[in-house]
Amino acid sequence: MAKYRAIPDGYMTVGEVAKKIGTTVRTLQYYDKEGLLSPSAESDGGRRLYTDKDLVILHQIVSLKSLGFSLDDIKQRLISLETPADVANALTGQADNIRMKIEQLTASLTAIEQLKTEVLQMQTVNFKKYADIIVNLQMKNDSYYLIKYFDDDTLDYIRNRFDKESGLNFMDRFNCVSDEIIQLQKENVPPESEKCQQVVKKYWDLIIEFTNNDMSMLPKLMEIGNIGTATNAWEERQKTVNSYLEPALQVYFSKPEMYVL
């Protein structure tokens, strides 16, 4: 490290660098101690001196730290700044990290807005349900909104009956069958047709699977599915499914050989 009696042109004191980047002298001293950024020179009086190149490296460090990287991670990510390509690579890395953080923050903001919507629709304070909604949002389970319709006993049953993988798998299959039902309705396929009854059987089999053949749960499920005025897209969709399913299920249950319990 070069030493100077005075501060030559092109060098900055630790205080000047801290002010330019918006950090503290103590932070810069810590970065020096940890081997992240050492001053390029030092005055005879022991003052740390930095260059514009140091300023760019410090910007890398501060940017990566703001993105949640540990100091050990940052040490591995710092790129030598000896050529234009080095500088470009460093900036590319920072840009990629910022885009990643934007995606994470956007997802967090979306989850917050979704939870707020559910809280207002529930109109009661129920932190257990809030926690379930948060977990399902983190799982990227698009059916998180169903939680508010279940009572505590049913939610306890679901928690014990399904884990993350089996729960998501079940909802995927349930949504696929619902899509088939909506398509049948659009095509005006008669409820008594073989095509319709095959889909109805798949739907009923899913109900049996969900309840684990406990028919005492059916009234609760029927209550959840009984929608008056739809207030969101899911309720509107469910009303369409229900309007087609009702007569189709009547046909299904009128055939004893198809009534599976």
Side-chain angles (χ1 to χ4, degrees):
M1 181 188 298
K3 288 197 174 185
Y4 299 91
R5 291 183 178 277
I7 299 174
D9 291 341
Y11 285 88
M12 296 166 281
T13 65
V14 65
E16 291 172 328
V17 171
K19 185 175 181 181
K20 282 179 179 290
I21 294 296
T23 186
T24 65
V25 170
R26 177 174 292 183
T27 296
L28 289 174
Q29 292 171 341
Y30 182 69
Y31 290 165
D32 182 13
K33 178 183 176 183
E34 293 297 313
L36 276 171
L37 177 63
S38 298
S40 292
E42 186 177 311
S43 71
D44 275 347
R47 302 182 72 182
R48 292 176 172 84
L49 302 178
Y50 294 84
T51 65
D52 288 331
K53 178 182 175 182
D54 296 328
L55 210 63
V56 175
I57 296 174
L58 178 58
H59 184 265
Q60 280 191 75
I61 296 170
V62 172
S63 296
L64 291 170
K65 192 171 185 297
S66 70
L67 294 173
F69 291 103
S70 69
L71 294 185
D72 286 338
D73 289 335
I74 293 173
K75 282 183 183 180
Q76 302 300 319
R77 290 174 179 271
L78 287 178
I79 299 174
S80 172
L81 303 178
E82 301 301 329
T83 68
D86 290 339
V87 177
N89 287 336
L91 295 174
T92 297
Q94 282 179 249
D96 290 342
N97 290 326
I98 290 172
R99 275 190 285 269
M100 178 185 68
K101 193 65 174 182
I102 289 173
E103 290 176 2
Q104 292 172 345
L105 290 173
T106 299
S108 296
L109 177 60
T110 300
I112 289 171
E113 293 292 347
Q114 290 168 326
L115 177 59
K116 182 179 75 173
T117 298
E118 298 305 303
V119 168
L120 292 175
Q121 289 183 358
M122 286 166 58
Q123 296 184 340
T124 58
V125 176
N126 188 322
F127 288 103
K128 197 169 186 178
K129 283 190 177 183
Y130 298 166
D132 281 338
I133 292 171
I134 290 171
V135 168
N136 278 269
L137 286 171
Q138 291 175 335
M139 289 165 51
K140 300 188 184 302
N141 179 6
D142 292 335
S143 302
Y144 66 89
Y145 47 78
L146 291 174
I147 291 171
K148 64 177 174 288
Y149 297 105
F150 293 112
D151 61 22
D152 290 339
D153 289 340
T154 305
L155 283 175
D156 283 338
Y157 168 81
I158 293 172
R159 295 184 194 103
N160 294 326
R161 178 79 172 83
F162 299 97
D163 58 19
K164 176 181 178 180
E165 183 177 352
S166 62
L168 288 175
N169 176 269
F170 180 87
M171 287 310 306
D172 284 343
R173 289 184 287 128
F174 184 85
N175 288 329
C176 285
V177 173
S178 295
D179 288 339
E180 290 185 60
I181 292 170
I182 290 174
Q183 188 60 37
L184 291 175
Q185 192 265 351
K186 288 180 179 178
E187 295 174 358
N188 293 315
V189 176
E192 65 275 10
S193 70
E194 181 180 353
K195 184 178 181 180
C196 172
Q197 288 301 302
Q198 288 175 346
V199 176
V200 170
K201 182 180 185 306
K202 287 196 289 185
Y203 179 88
W204 182 247
D205 286 344
L206 285 172
I207 296 298
I208 296 298
E209 179 183 343
F210 179 83
T211 62
N212 200 23
N213 214 13
D214 180 0
M215 294 298 101
S216 67
M217 295 186 66
L218 283 181
K220 293 181 179 180
L221 296 180
M222 291 174 63
E223 183 179 348
I224 292 169
N226 186 20
I227 299 169
T229 302
T231 61
N232 55 48
W234 178 82
E235 291 181 348
E236 192 64 50
R237 167 186 161 92
Q238 195 60 38
K239 284 190 69 174
T240 301
V241 171
N242 291 347
S243 65
Y244 185 79
L245 262 182
E246 185 174 351
L249 282 169
Q250 289 177 358
V251 174
Y252 181 78
F253 290 130
S254 70
K255 301 175 182 180
E257 70 277 8
M258 297 182 69
Y259 195 115
V260 182
L261 284 178

